Amino acid sequence: MSYYPDCMFRSRDPECKSPYGAVPAGQPVEFSAYPLREQGTEHITLWIEEDGGTPQAFPMRWFGLAGARDRYHTTFTPPQPGLYWYYFTLDTAEGPRYCARGYGGRSEILDAPGDKYQLTVYDPAYQPPRWFGEGITYNIFPDRFCRDRMPVQPEGEGMAPRVLHENWDDIPVYRPDENGEILNNDFFGGTLRGVISKLDYLESLHVRTIYFNPIFQAYSNHRYDTGDYLRIDPQLGTEEDFRTLCREAASRGMRVVLDGVFNHTGYDSRYFNARGRYHSVGAHQSQESPYYRWFDFQQWPDRYGSWWGIYTLPQVNEQEKSYQDFIFGDADSVVRRWLRLGASGWRLDVADELPDSFIAGLNAAAKREKEDALIIGEVWEDASNKIAYSERRRYFQGGELDSVMNYPLRDAILAFLNGGTAEHFAESVECIRENYPRDVFYNLMNIIGTHDTPRALTLLGVSEEEGHMDRDGRAHYALPPERLKTARRKLALAAVIQFTMPGSPTIYYGDEAGRQGFEDPFNRRTYPWGAEDREILAFYRRLCELRAESDTLNRGGLRFRDCQGNLLQYERYSDRSRIIVLVNRGLQPQKAQIDALYAVEMFSTCEYDSQDDTGIHLTVPPESAFLLRCFGAP
């Protein structure tokens, strides 16, 4: 409380709430509040309610003095996993007051109810697999990473003619056809054998998890319109190629995570079969189809629920038992079959649109197949309290998701580097850390780019005016030399933050090689083999090596220091090591002080000004970041 003398309660201060953040069910939580004595507080009550329930009163006992404040204390033991909300009421000489949540978890004393504090409670028996968060992940968009042969028209059941690019460096087709549709049916011919040929490259980046966007047969190049969940897309290769890839990856200490698109299938699929390319009888063809009940027809066959109204993505009814059996319930279900063939986990596309019971059932089935199988969800916001379609989601209470894509971190990094403050960055990360179970926070997929977002290098260099170019301009855009230099520096800072936060730093293929591009499909251009940005790639190699070799960065604690304006400061610490991270995004040098006897530079160089009994004084150059391994206390 000494750091916040104007504050009666701060949820992140162990003197106010212990333990920190999310807690397991059955764990007593200690609450202490510190009203100023001059306020004349007579009684304080802690009110706690389970999400959607009725608040319960927990009177707080006077527990002694704390300087100019009184201390009131009580204990609450959450009986079961769930989301809980709490606040305080005060009876003062001036009348009743409410203690609500303010910025940074600090309290605000109000005359009326305000924002409540969140308490996440999880099942202590459930432990997410730790292997993911402790390693580097590489995200591959399969058609665009690497090919081992020139593309040819694939043949066989369900296959439609494709537009094939012989030139690996072509711009993807982005203009609508004569009917005004963008079909996404142009292919560059990336293959699984192409990925196998680059495993040594991934190993050189110390990659431990390869996350694939969809690899199953589909009409489109992105393959999020699944045509057959049980067949590798012929353009990519065969089931044997997949087995070989998993086996070769495992020999290098890598695991494979697949993309599961289970909220919708393809218009051109074995299950819907609207164009009749499959031998099976699809739901669009007959109401007697075994797949008919999978879909939500308002008026068969042409009025049906689809993902975001896109007719090529008919939405499935995830509560239909036959569909659940097919996806995860049966012993040879989709989820279990591909785990058995070599995968180590699944990323769930649009997890917000999958019922909680579906996710929990899928997770349990995956764990039955492989005890350490990983289930990651695509969630763009704070997943601990997410409301989707007017329903509070259950993601981290035990047996649902092991991890989510850390879009809040991505947003915070890009906002900071494009003009935000270090204080706001720290607050964004602390909100997630406070709300997520620790094992989840250390298991997050830490991204700065995905197939759904513009390339980070472009976002960090493009001017506001250029951001409003038409599609033709965006298709051919490349950063001019001076802004490319600026974007390179900013990307380096972004990568330093990404690689020094708890969780798995995840490289979207080509970011490490300087690939640029706006939104889809320009963010999905091919990996530039032979034309990599050598400066950026060399930087990533050094950073990957540093992360892979540091137990402290993989598992250590996180503590933000004096974050102000352009200078971001935090430390990662363990029993054996203490690493200080300093990031100056500004155009002027920044002064910093390190409370250590001496320090060893781990990454980049800095200017030491002096050393005295208060520690080390140094200057952080403009647009730079570095890491210091610190020893001793001043």
Side-chain angles (χ1 to χ4, degrees):
M1 288 297 297
S2 58
Y3 299 106
Y4 299 95
D6 60 339
C7 181
M8 171 184 134
F9 178 84
R10 185 172 187 264
S11 59
R12 298 170 191 165
D13 190 326
E15 293 185 36
C16 294
K17 175 183 170 291
S18 181
Y20 174 92
V23 298
Q27 164 77 57
V29 184
E30 306 285 334
F31 291 92
S32 293
Y34 298 82
L36 284 168
R37 196 166 303 114
E38 65 187 28
Q39 289 179 321
T41 301
E42 298 176 359
H43 302 286
I44 297 182
T45 303
L46 169 66
W47 296 87
I48 300 181
E49 63 189 74
E50 192 168 3
D51 195 49
T54 302
Q56 290 185 293
F58 293 84
M60 303 184 76
R61 293 176 53 208
W62 186 82
F63 229 71
L65 305 177
R69 296 176 178 270
D70 292 305
R71 180 191 177 200
Y72 286 81
H73 176 270
T74 192
T75 300
F76 167 69
T77 302
Q80 61 190 17
L83 198 61
Y84 294 77
W85 304 94
Y86 66 94
Y87 61 97
F88 305 86
T89 56
L90 296 75
D91 294 327
T92 73
E94 298 178 353
R97 294 289 185 270
Y98 294 85
C99 176
R101 186 185 188 278
Y103 183 80
R106 283 175 283 182
S107 60
E108 291 185 341
I109 306 301
L110 306 171
D111 293 333
D115 291 336
K116 299 172 184 177
Y117 290 90
Q118 176 179 324
L119 177 64
T120 304
V121 180
Y122 58 91
D123 183 353
Y126 184 80
Q127 298 293 322
R130 293 179 56 183
W131 56 263
F132 177 72
E134 295 180 355
I136 297 167
T137 299
Y138 196 87
N139 176 193
I140 291 177
F141 192 82
D143 185 57
R144 311 287 163 83
F145 180 63
C146 183
R147 65 188 185 191
D148 70 321
R149 60 179 184 268
M150 294 297 291
V152 297
Q153 290 290 349
E155 299 179 351
E157 184 186 6
M159 300 311 302
R162 295 175 168 180
V163 176
L164 302 179
H165 294 269
E166 291 189 4
N167 183 357
W168 185 249
D169 297 320
D170 279 351
I171 296 173
V173 174
Y174 64 92
R175 293 190 180 96
D177 67 5
E178 62 275 10
N179 297 317
E181 289 190 86
I182 298 176
L183 299 178
N184 293 307
N185 69 334
D186 63 314
F187 289 76
F188 287 79
T191 62
L192 295 182
R193 288 194 174 276
V195 177
I196 293 170
S197 73
K198 298 300 182 181
L199 287 177
D200 287 345
Y201 167 73
L202 298 181
E203 187 175 17
S204 75
L205 294 174
H206 301 273
V207 169
R208 288 294 171 261
T209 302
I210 304 172
Y211 156 51
F212 282 98
N213 295 113
I215 64 173
F216 304 120
Q217 181 177 317
Y219 175 84
S220 73
N221 52 46
H222 55 70
R223 300 187 174 98
Y224 281 92
D225 54 336
T226 312
D228 190 336
Y229 289 103
L230 302 179
R231 186 186 186 197
I232 302 290
D233 192 284
Q235 198 98 52
L236 279 174
T238 65
E239 187 175 298
E240 184 54 38
D241 291 337
F242 178 75
R243 290 175 181 265
T244 301
L245 168 63
C246 293
R247 185 168 59 248
E248 290 292 325
S251 71
R252 293 168 169 81
M254 302 179 198
R255 298 179 186 243
V256 170
V257 171
L258 297 179
D259 210 327
V261 188
F262 302 137
N263 165 263
H264 50 269
T265 67
Y267 186 77
D268 231 359
S269 69
R270 179 178 300 282
Y271 321 104
F272 204 71
N273 207 13
R275 295 194 174 100
R277 291 195 173 105
Y278 289 84
H279 301 328
S280 59
V281 177
H284 190 270
Q285 296 168 301
S286 172
Q287 296 181 59
E288 301 303 316
S289 166
Y291 310 116
Y292 176 76
R293 295 182 62 185
W294 290 13
F295 301 94
D296 178 23
F297 287 100
Q298 288 90 50
Q299 184 176 333
W300 180 86
D302 292 323
R303 290 185 60 191
Y304 51 88
S306 60
W307 186 73
W308 283 35
I310 301 173
Y311 82 92
T312 56
L313 302 175
Q315 200 158 343
V316 299
N317 174 15
E318 299 97 342
Q319 303 287 16
E320 167 59 36
K321 186 178 185 305
S322 63
Y323 180 70
Q324 291 189 2
D325 289 343
F326 174 72
I327 295 298
F328 63 80
D330 291 342
D332 200 34
S333 60
V334 172
V335 166
R336 298 186 66 175
R337 181 176 187 271
W338 292 103
L339 289 173
R340 200 153 53 240
L341 290 173
S344 292
W346 290 88
R347 176 262 194 189
L348 302 184
D349 184 55
V350 293
D352 291 341
E353 304 188 39
L354 298 171
D356 289 341
S357 59
F358 185 93
I359 293 175
L362 188 151
N363 190 320
K367 298 294 193 290
R368 284 195 297 272
E369 190 63 44
K370 283 186 176 178
E371 187 177 359
D372 63 350
L374 177 78
I375 303 299
I376 304 173
E378 179 196 10
V379 182
W380 287 58
E381 303 85 9
D382 183 335
S384 70
N385 55 34
K386 178 67 186 286
I387 295 177
Y389 300 96
S390 303
E391 181 181 345
R392 181 82 69 185
R393 306 309 306 271
R394 295 171 54 94
Y395 289 142
F396 301 144
Q397 294 171 25
E400 299 93 17
L401 296 176
D402 300 317
S403 172
V404 290
M405 303 176 75
N406 199 354
Y407 277 99
L409 175 63
R410 170 190 177 270
D411 295 344
I413 290 174
L414 296 179
F416 171 60
L417 296 179
N418 278 330
T421 66
E423 297 97 315
H424 280 92
F425 175 88
E427 173 62 15
S428 297
V429 174
E430 284 286 21
C431 280
I432 296 298
R433 186 163 77 106
E434 184 176 15
N435 289 348
Y436 286 22
R438 187 183 191 279
D439 286 344
V440 173
F441 183 73
Y442 278 72
N443 219 30
L444 293 172
M445 180 185 277
N446 289 342
I447 54 176
I448 57 172
T450 71
H451 74 286
D452 285 324
T453 65
R455 290 280 182 174
L457 191 62
T458 297
L459 288 177
L460 293 169
V462 70
S463 68
E464 184 176 353
E465 295 77 16
E466 290 168 325
H468 298 291
M469 288 184 297
D470 61 20
R471 293 273 285 177
D472 287 334
R474 294 159 88 84
H476 297 87
Y477 179 81
L479 290 167
E482 283 306 310
R483 279 209 299 282
L484 178 58
K485 289 181 182 179
T486 298
R488 278 192 184 123
R489 290 194 295 269
K490 287 186 175 181
L491 181 64
L493 303 186
V496 167
I497 299 171
Q498 178 192 24
F499 274 70
T500 55
M501 281 285 151
S504 177
T506 300
I507 302 170
Y508 180 50
Y509 81 103
D511 276 359
E512 83 281 16
R515 179 50 90 190
Q516 301 180 38
F518 285 100
E519 76 286 346
D520 163 31
F522 314 122
N523 57 356
R524 304 174 185 180
R525 294 194 64 178
T526 54
Y527 186 100
W529 298 110
E532 298 93 338
D533 185 315
R534 297 294 177 182
E535 177 184 326
I536 295 177
L537 183 56
F539 185 89
Y540 266 88
R541 287 190 186 281
R542 291 168 55 211
L543 200 52
C544 288
E545 181 179 15
L546 178 69
R547 171 66 189 237
E549 294 179 352
S550 174
D551 287 342
T552 300
L553 292 179
N554 286 329
R555 306 181 184 90
L558 169 68
R559 183 184 299 120
F560 283 98
R561 298 168 60 85
D562 184 20
C563 294
Q564 293 187 18
N566 296 332
L567 184 61
L568 177 63
Q569 304 184 63
Y570 55 93
E571 62 183 272
R572 302 295 310 280
Y573 59 91
S574 64
D575 292 340
R576 296 179 296 175
S577 175
R578 180 170 172 243
I579 298 172
I580 302 293
V581 182
L582 300 174
V583 181
N584 177 13
R585 72 155 183 83
L587 300 178
Q588 301 297 324
Q590 295 286 323
K591 298 293 185 180
Q593 178 178 322
I594 305 299
D595 51 340
L597 286 176
Y598 65 98
V600 176
E601 296 171 10
M602 302 174 63
F603 194 81
S604 191
T605 57
C606 55
E607 302 173 19
Y608 293 96
D609 297 333
S610 62
Q611 182 175 351
D612 55 30
D613 57 5
T614 64
I616 300 170
H617 303 265
L618 49 87
T619 299
V620 187
E623 294 187 314
S624 66
F626 54 88
L627 281 69
L628 298 172
R629 188 182 299 278
C630 298
F631 300 90

